[in-house]
Amino acid sequence: MNLIETEKMISNGIRRTEEEAEQFNRDYEAASQRIRDTKCKMKRHEYLLRDRRLGKPPDRSDTR
């Protein structure tokens, strides 16, 4: 194996590692957004249950 082939292999390895890191970051951000969305839905549900226990009518402006 000569020097040029070695340099190509290293360059390809670095590029692949960078692509994997970018994919990981995209996956991580998507998972974080799903968690935030779920927490928001849970909080909304918690408020609806509280209002129902208190006998308040549901707030129609908050339904999706």
Side-chain angles (χ1 to χ4, degrees), residues 24-47:
F24 175 83
N25 288 337
R26 284 191 297 270
D27 292 346
Y28 180 84
E29 185 55 41
S32 296
Q33 184 62 47
R34 285 193 301 272
I35 290 170
R36 286 190 295 272
D37 291 347
T38 300
K39 285 182 178 180
C40 182
K41 288 176 185 175
M42 288 172 60
K43 196 58 138 173
R44 188 178 314 122
H45 184 69
E46 180 182 311
Y47 290 145

Side-chain angles (χ1 to χ4, degrees), residues 44 48 58-64:
R44 188 178 314 122
L48 289 172
D59 182 10
R60 297 293 178 199
S61 63
D62 193 34
T63 57
R64 291 186 181 185

Side-chain angles (χ1 to χ4, degrees), residues 11-23:
S11 176
N12 287 340
I14 291 171
R15 188 176 317 112
R16 187 175 62 244
T17 302
E18 289 172 347
E19 290 168 357
E20 290 170 352
E22 290 171 1
Q23 182 63 46

Side-chain angles (χ1 to χ4, degrees), residues 10 51 58:
I10 292 171
D51 289 349

